[in-house]
Amino acid sequence: MIKQAIIPLAGLGTRLLPLTSVFAKELLPINGKPGIEYILDECIEAGIKEVIFIISKKKIMIKNYFYNDNFYKKIIAKKKDSRIINEYKKILKYKKMIKFVYQNEPLGTGNAVLKAKKYIKDKYFLMLLPDDLIIKHNCSKSMIQIHNKYKSSVMASMSVNRKDVTRWGIYKLNKKIDKKNYFISDVIEKPSINKAPSNKAVIGRYILPKNIFSKLLKQKPGKSGEIHITDAIQSLIDENYKFIAHHFSGKYLDCGSMNGYIKSSLEISKI
Ligand code: G1P
């Protein structure tokens, strides 16, 4: 059973400037609700019981957001607004399930994952990248079902334009399991167009084995001097660990870019 999730939240959000100049991108409202709450709700609905947030000192406002329950209490004591009471209950529920760890230097997603090592109890855990919003279908829930069936790691996958492969981790697909699921034989972080083995991209949902920590501890910096989770995954594949690419249902929204962020509110308001 997958009961724990980790969410790297230390990113600076430069693609969303000026909105992120003093504000954490994950708290920006998407159709009236902070982006991070969509991610948390996806986790809860998928059966996750504990979420580890990897933040930085610069993004302490994320912790403050979930630790502001006394403020709600004072307001509710003065006026019994049912909407605020519901929001208060929601914040308390989230707060109970979140643990915070810190990544104060931007050394990449792999480095962020390592910071959560001491909290991970089970053989597998879920990781969600908060820029990647998937609506209309719970991608994590489907991935957990696949994991339970095949007892292997699972990563979300989506077809992208060939000219855009340099923006993503890209899979080399191996054996087809069914229409939506493939074992992969390689994954390459942001390859050049002529080195890309396919146009199937890694989207930010991963079910990873605990053993990834030992790989990350030895992992040398890759593209742009960062420690990439993709490179550690490739090391595991080289040792015959099974990884499945899951072509998810639902709609992908890239909330880390200005265009995607603006589009996300419009798309969600239509649901
Ligand atoms: C990260 C991963 C990349 C993946 C992408 C999905 O890249 O390193 O493999 O395809 O997330 O959003 P980033 O968005 O941090 O550049």
Side-chain angles (χ1 to χ4, degrees):
M1 280 311 219
I2 310 267
K3 293 285 165 221
Q4 291 180 297
I6 69 174
I7 307 182
L9 294 155
L12 296 175
T14 45
R15 289 188 296 159
L16 284 174
L17 278 170
L19 303 182
T20 45
S21 159
V22 294
F23 211 69
K25 61 178 171 179
E26 298 82 3
L27 295 179
L28 289 172
I30 297 175
N31 197 40
K33 168 169 150 178
I36 189 66
E37 291 195 14
Y38 291 94
I39 303 282
L40 283 171
D41 291 345
E42 177 178 333
C43 287
I44 292 168
E45 205 193 296
I48 296 296
K49 302 291 176 216
E50 185 178 80
V51 182
I52 297 139
F53 275 15
I54 302 131
I55 60 170
S56 67
K57 281 185 200 148
K58 283 188 188 141
K59 295 183 79 176
I60 195 74
M61 76 159 59
I62 295 179
K63 186 169 184 186
N64 295 342
Y65 178 79
F66 292 98
Y67 274 70
N68 215 8
D69 41 306
N70 274 334
F71 172 73
Y72 283 82
K73 254 206 262 176
K74 279 184 207 149
I75 305 273
I76 294 164
K78 279 192 222 143
K79 57 173 189 169
K80 304 250 169 299
D81 181 323
S82 62
R83 195 190 68 83
I84 300 176
I85 293 171
N86 283 339
E87 291 296 333
Y88 167 67
K89 285 185 187 154
K90 217 168 64 176
I91 289 289
L92 277 186
K93 184 177 78 177
Y94 291 145
K95 182 184 170 183
K96 258 193 215 152
M97 64 188 292
I98 305 172
K99 282 200 162 78
F100 290 86
V101 293
Y102 290 82
Q103 181 199 26
N104 287 321
E105 286 165 297
L107 297 177
T109 312
N111 178 260
V113 172
L114 257 186
K115 306 287 178 193
K117 179 173 179 276
K118 62 177 182 222
Y119 286 124
I120 297 299
K121 296 182 210 125
D122 301 328
K123 230 171 132 188
Y124 289 89
F125 59 94
L126 173 70
M127 173 166 80
L128 304 96
L129 301 185
D131 283 357
D132 292 350
L133 209 60
I134 300 170
I135 57 168
K136 297 184 183 170
H137 189 88
N138 191 319
C139 179
S140 296
K141 197 171 171 182
S142 301
M143 284 171 55
I144 290 174
Q145 282 163 0
I146 302 294
H147 164 78
N148 290 342
K149 191 164 170 194
Y150 296 97
K151 303 282 171 270
S152 88
S153 296
V154 186
M155 293 150 77
S157 156
M158 181 179 84
S159 299
V160 296
N161 272 333
R162 195 87 209 179
K163 65 173 176 37
D164 296 330
V165 289
T166 54
R167 151 76 183 87
W168 311 93
I170 297 291
Y171 297 113
K172 182 171 183 185
L173 301 179
N174 189 6
K175 200 173 145 235
K176 181 175 178 176
I177 302 171
D178 54 42
K179 237 169 82 188
K180 286 189 174 294
N181 301 289
Y182 289 79
F183 285 111
I184 58 167
S185 57
D186 288 288
V187 61
I188 308 170
E189 183 66 14
K190 303 188 172 77
S192 59
I193 296 179
N194 50 14
K195 292 230 173 82
S198 76
N199 68 334
K200 305 287 181 243
V202 179
I203 299 300
R205 301 289 182 278
Y206 307 71
I207 292 177
L208 298 169
K210 205 178 174 177
N211 302 39
I212 196 133
F213 293 123
S214 60
K215 293 287 165 231
L216 285 169
L217 280 168
K218 288 183 264 171
Q219 189 71 52
K220 299 242 159 52
K223 284 245 156 69
S224 323
E226 291 182 11
I227 311 263
H228 293 289
I229 196 72
T230 321
D231 296 339
I233 290 168
Q234 184 62 51
S235 308
L236 287 174
I237 296 173
D238 292 342
E239 288 179 11
N240 290 325
Y241 276 78
K242 296 265 174 280
F243 277 78
I244 294 174
H246 171 65
H247 300 324
F248 56 90
S249 311
K251 190 170 175 56
Y252 167 71
L253 300 165
D254 177 10
C255 295
S257 72
M258 191 56 93
N259 269 341
Y261 172 65
I262 292 167
K263 217 171 121 195
S264 61
S265 279
L266 298 173
E267 289 290 340
I268 291 177
S269 69
K270 283 192 235 157
I271 301 176

